[in-house]
Amino acid sequence: MSKLSGKKVAILAAHGFERSELEKPLEALIAEGAEVEVVSLEAGKIRGWSKKDWSGSVKVDKTLADVTADEYDALVLPGGVMNPDTLRGDRAAVEFVTAIFASGKPTCAICHGAWTLIETGLLEGRAMTSYKTLKSDLQNAGAYWVDREVVIDHGLVTSRSPDDLPAFTKAMIEEIAEGRHALRDEHGAFDAPASPS
């Protein structure tokens, strides 16, 4: 039986996503038996970015208007500069990310993808990494930033760049397979999630 059989995962992205950071996790999730949906702001296709130019496109399976956080077991946030910058300025996107992350469901962000997580207001005390230019942004949001290829903190998986994709996808699969993680209470201690995985 595949590790992620029965799991449903959302990949939230907009135009300008880093192509490898969407495609490689998507391939890995499908290979492990997960049901994966690319979720975006509008229907149709979103255009990818690779190095210094537009590169390829991906079909949008669902728009944010058509989904709820309850439908998914986990969330993946690819990087690229334009993509998370668009998402963090969209109220529906931020509410969707916040609902999944706050519930203790595995949330996986690579490179600039962590930008959107800042808008949740839930990074206080969380260990994270990201593309190096986000270090101060994440520290200002209360995160403990470290320079490693992958950082795992109670279901939160973060990586720095496309070079870290092998470690990122491995950790992503492990955390999603484990299911919903413990939540911090108002004192910063970890409690069991409100509902079972």
Side-chain angles (χ1 to χ4, degrees):
M1 185 171 167
S2 300
K3 288 183 181 179
L4 302 183
S5 180
K7 300 284 189 180
K8 187 175 180 181
V9 182
I11 298 180
L12 179 63
H15 291 298
F17 64 87
E18 177 63 40
R19 187 174 175 183
S20 62
E21 293 173 358
L22 189 153
E23 291 180 350
K24 294 296 183 184
L26 175 62
E27 291 167 5
L29 289 165
I30 292 171
E32 288 295 344
E35 178 186 353
V36 188
E37 291 182 338
V38 174
V39 179
S40 193
L41 308 178
E42 298 174 359
K45 292 184 176 182
I46 48 175
R47 297 175 71 195
W49 187 268
S50 183
K51 297 179 181 171
K52 296 183 179 181
D53 208 351
W54 295 104
S55 177
S57 62
V58 172
K59 180 182 177 292
V60 173
D61 296 305
K62 297 278 182 67
T63 66
L64 281 166
D66 298 327
V67 300
T68 66
D70 293 340
E71 297 173 42
Y72 299 99
D73 299 297
L75 173 66
V76 177
L77 296 166
V81 178
M82 289 174 277
N83 160 51
D85 196 40
T86 298
L87 294 175
R88 67 181 179 153
D90 185 271
R91 182 177 175 182
V94 172
E95 288 176 351
F96 180 74
V97 172
T98 301
I100 290 180
F101 189 39
S103 72
K105 294 176 182 178
T107 301
C108 312
I110 185 167
C111 200
H112 287 79
W115 246 349
T116 309
L117 288 171
I118 292 171
E119 300 304 317
T120 68
L122 300 172
L123 297 186
E124 185 70 41
R126 302 303 296 262
M128 299 179 70
T129 194
S130 66
Y131 191 68
K132 59 187 178 182
T133 58
L134 272 65
K135 177 181 177 180
S136 295
D137 292 348
L138 291 168
Q139 288 175 330
N140 289 337
Y144 172 67
W145 190 92
V146 290
D147 185 14
R148 289 192 203 133
E149 64 177 1
V150 65
V151 175
I152 304 168
D153 181 352
H154 289 83
L156 173 61
V157 178
T158 51
S159 283
R160 302 169 300 189
S161 74
D163 292 340
D164 299 330
L165 276 164
F168 178 74
T169 53
K170 182 175 183 286
M172 170 190 74
I173 289 165
E174 289 172 356
E175 294 302 293
I176 295 173
E178 287 179 13
R180 195 184 297 238
H181 288 61
L183 304 175
R184 275 199 175 103
D185 64 19
E186 65 272 18
H187 308 293
F190 281 99
D191 269 339
S195 57
S197 320

